Amino acid sequence: MRNFFGQLFDIINPLPYAISPSFSKSRNGIVLMQWNMLNDRDDKDEENEFILPKMINGENVLDWDMRHKRIANNINVHFPDFVTFQEGSKIDDIIGELKNRYKCIYSTIDGTNVGILYNYKKFVRIEFNEVEKKIVMGKFINKNGKEIWIGSAHLKSGRGIEQERRRLEQIKIICDFMNGKNNWIMGMDMNTDYGYSSENLTLNYLDKWLPNHGGVTSYPEYTTQKIRSFSSRQEAKRGKYSCAVIDRIMFSSNLKSYSTWKYPTKPNIDIDEIEKKVKDDEIKFSDDINMRSQLLPNLFCPSDHLYVLCDLAEQN
């Protein structure tokens, strides 16, 4: 039987962080959620991927039986028209909790690592284009005959210059695909932020391209905050604290963002001190409430990414 406090938590607070209560009631157009959901890999090493308070109130924060329900809770509360997702390894489990509201399209090359959930009672998919591995596009039409392209992408990870050059190639492919299209929204885990590599090639390219083709939603202070453990699969990131904006939504110039989402503020954390504690195995989450509540994933957020949520409508 699940811990009582864990059950109570899901009832009173299924959301990962603060939200404007009016968000889902004040829609102007299309509501889109962008979220890297964090794959569940079905192995014992998964629970050692991150430095985090693994057990809170008797709950393992990475337990998939509960985590997939918390992911679904967040989607159900906001009921977005589209969810552009990455790392949806068991997306069928999540769809099963979504009250028969959504259908899914995803990569045939890379499986459910990248895909799109859509409200099939409002939109019909009329085209699917797998632009490249980890980049998918769907063309949808609503009951009024209005068409829109929705895209989802998971760009190359890593902080080196070679990884940044690969991300630049990917973003150019996306921009080339959207050129000439006048109604589109793109959700991405870009795996880069300013200062991630010696050259901000990807974001610098977007900064020049977007003013003539569209816009982006307001940037939160961060969309991921985590420390990978010393047994992490990603060797270069072991023991490193990461707090950055790597998830973004961009859209065509005919649209305007009416987001009322309340993003969390960036925590005041001494990075060098935290990484030293991790290295020396001295970090004690029970003694550090700030880190206990902020590091991802946790009971408030069932992924190592926060989701980005926006309300987009055509400009008058």
Side-chain angles (χ1 to χ4, degrees):
M1 182 175 179
R2 286 189 61 225
N3 179 281
F4 169 78
F5 292 103
Q7 297 179 51
L8 182 62
F9 179 90
D10 285 333
I11 296 171
I12 64 175
N13 194 353
L15 304 179
Y17 42 85
I19 167 183
S20 165
S22 63
F23 188 93
S24 60
K25 298 177 182 178
S26 60
R27 297 171 184 242
N28 292 280
I30 291 175
V31 173
L32 184 139
M33 175 185 283
Q34 154 58 30
W35 202 2
N36 181 318
M37 298 175 175
L38 179 61
N39 279 330
D40 183 77
R41 297 184 177 89
D42 272 334
D43 61 49
K44 293 181 180 179
D45 291 337
E46 178 68 17
E47 65 182 31
N48 298 316
E49 179 66 18
F50 301 98
I51 298 288
L52 78 166
K54 297 180 181 66
M55 301 297 292
I56 300 178
N57 293 336
E59 295 285 341
N60 182 341
V61 299
L62 288 176
D63 176 63
W64 181 249
D65 286 343
M66 293 312 306
R67 197 161 71 81
H68 86 272
K69 293 178 181 178
R70 289 181 174 134
I71 292 171
N73 279 348
N74 285 274
I75 297 172
N76 282 328
V77 165
H78 297 298
F79 192 19
D81 299 302
F82 297 95
V83 181
T84 55
F85 68 85
Q86 299 79 38
E87 297 201 28
S89 60
K90 296 181 179 178
I91 195 66
D92 287 342
D93 289 346
I94 296 168
I95 292 173
E97 303 287 338
L98 295 179
K99 303 178 181 179
N100 195 29
R101 291 169 163 176
Y102 294 92
K103 289 185 178 180
C104 182
I105 57 174
Y106 53 82
S107 169
T108 59
I109 300 173
D110 202 40
T112 55
N113 189 60
V114 56
I116 302 166
L117 291 170
Y118 64 97
N119 180 350
Y120 68 90
K121 296 181 180 180
K122 291 179 65 175
F123 293 89
V124 175
R125 176 174 63 88
I126 57 177
E127 192 172 334
F128 176 72
N129 194 313
E130 190 151 12
V131 182
E132 187 185 80
K133 183 178 180 179
K134 298 189 180 182
I135 304 174
V136 298
M137 308 286 184
K139 189 178 185 181
F140 300 86
I141 187 169
N142 66 13
K143 60 183 179 181
N144 298 319
K146 186 70 175 179
E147 296 179 357
I148 187 166
W149 281 96
I150 303 293
S152 178
H154 196 183
L155 304 192
K156 180 70 175 178
S157 65
R159 296 197 177 205
I161 187 61
E162 291 305 315
Q163 291 93 331
E164 181 67 6
R165 286 172 179 159
R166 175 58 183 145
R167 286 191 288 268
L168 177 60
E169 291 176 359
Q170 291 173 302
I171 207 66
K172 285 182 176 179
I173 289 170
I174 292 168
C175 292
D176 287 346
F177 183 88
M178 293 307 187
N179 271 332
K181 295 178 174 59
N182 57 12
N183 200 30
W184 56 266
I185 308 172
M186 189 80 206
M188 299 176 286
D189 174 357
M190 295 185 65
N191 269 315
T192 190
D193 196 0
Y194 293 101
Y196 245 49
S197 67
S198 57
E199 301 178 52
N200 298 309
L201 302 177
T202 309
L203 293 173
N204 287 343
Y205 181 86
L206 275 183
D207 287 343
K208 295 176 181 178
W209 185 84
L210 273 173
N212 296 317
H213 299 87
V216 291
T217 55
S218 300
Y219 290 160
E221 292 193 37
Y222 68 95
T223 62
T224 187
Q225 189 201 176
K226 59 200 171 192
I227 304 175
R228 294 197 181 270
S229 74
F230 287 98
S231 59
S232 168
R233 294 174 177 82
Q234 301 187 45
E235 294 185 18
K237 298 180 181 179
R238 290 176 178 175
K240 298 296 183 183
Y241 172 75
S242 173
C243 185
V245 179
I246 61 176
D247 300 270
R248 288 179 169 83
I249 298 172
M250 63 182 190
F251 50 87
S252 53
S253 56
N254 66 308
L255 298 175
K256 179 179 179 180
S257 175
Y258 292 87
S259 176
T260 57
W261 183 247
K262 301 296 184 183
Y263 294 106
T265 57
K266 197 169 185 176
N268 182 19
I269 291 174
D270 186 325
I271 297 176
D272 292 336
E273 179 65 19
I274 289 298
E275 290 188 354
K276 181 180 183 300
K277 284 184 177 182
V278 170
K279 184 177 181 180
D280 295 340
D281 196 26
E282 292 178 353
I283 192 162
K284 300 292 187 294
F285 291 98
S286 59
D287 300 329
D288 193 331
I289 300 301
N290 187 37
M291 292 298 292
R292 183 185 175 90
S293 62
Q294 299 278 3
L295 273 184
L296 303 176
N298 56 41
L299 284 185
F300 292 93
C301 180
S303 173
D304 60 332
H305 291 242
L306 302 176
Y307 54 77
V308 182
L309 190 67
C310 68
D311 182 3
L312 293 157
E314 288 197 85
Q315 302 188 58
N316 296 328

